[in-house]
Amino acid sequence: MERANEAILRVGCHLEELGLVLAPQKTEAIIMAGRRRLHPITFLVQGSGITPKTKEKYLGIWLDKSRTFIPHVEETARKASVMTVAISRTMKNIRGPKEEKRRLIFSAARSLLLYGVPVWQSAMQFAKARDVALRVQRIMQ
């Protein structure tokens, strides 16, 4: 822990030499330790304590401490189903949407679901992630 805080201090000093400012209030941490239980850790960034979280969003992808990416699949599936329902409600509800409109809904939801798939594709080995993804696909049909 001491070495990590020392490294953070050195990075902060180096950034100041470059004329950049580190914002401790925006700093977030996640420890990817798998299933191992760790005792509580607090990083010090310019005197502010940063407690690691179990999941964190980075560049639109939810990272979790176990590296399963299940939280990412769950969150994107939730967003895709909300978006699908919202788009569907704007259409006439007589005899359901036509093929072109269903294709539009599917295309929008698919692009949201598949963002960053090379990073999180390993999540599909878990039944929970597959079930969540299939649930959204059923909504889109």
Side-chain angles (χ1 to χ4, degrees):
M1 189 67 229
E2 206 173 290
R3 289 176 57 195
N5 285 330
E6 185 179 312
I8 292 169
L9 182 64
R10 282 190 294 180
V11 168
C13 291
H14 186 66
L15 288 173
E16 285 179 12
E17 289 174 8
L18 295 172
L20 301 172
V21 179
L22 187 63
Q25 69 274 14
K26 294 183 179 180
T27 304
E28 298 170 341
I30 182 170
I31 297 177
M32 296 185 176
R35 292 183 174 195
R36 288 182 287 162
R37 293 231 179 237
L38 300 174
H39 52 278
I41 297 173
T42 302
F43 297 106
L44 291 175
V45 178
Q46 295 180 348
S48 296
I50 308 295
T51 304
K53 299 178 181 177
T54 56
K55 65 178 185 175
E56 194 64 51
K57 189 174 183 179
Y58 182 70
L59 297 176
I61 296 179
W62 284 93
L63 305 172
D64 62 301
K65 76 178 205 91
S66 302
R67 298 180 306 272
T68 62
F69 294 101
I70 291 175
H72 175 77
V73 174
E74 291 173 337
E75 183 60 26
T76 54
R78 184 194 65 75
K79 285 173 71 174
S81 63
V82 167
M83 182 185 64
T84 300
V85 169
I87 293 173
S88 297
R89 284 187 179 153
T90 64
M91 299 178 187
K92 291 191 283 184
N93 62 356
I94 300 170
R95 292 187 218 125
K98 293 183 179 171
E99 181 63 30
E100 311 88 56
K101 293 178 182 176
R102 278 200 313 270
R103 225 178 299 135
L104 169 71
I105 294 169
F106 179 74
S107 176
R110 185 180 62 191
S111 67
L112 187 103
L113 283 170
L114 295 180
Y115 174 75
V117 78
V119 174
W120 61 265
Q121 70 182 358
S122 62
M124 289 297 117
Q125 70 184 344
F126 300 104
K128 183 177 182 178
R130 284 193 307 270
D131 292 344
V132 170
L134 288 173
R135 193 176 321 132
V136 174
Q137 287 183 348
R138 275 187 238 112
I139 292 170
M140 291 186 287
Q141 291 178 350

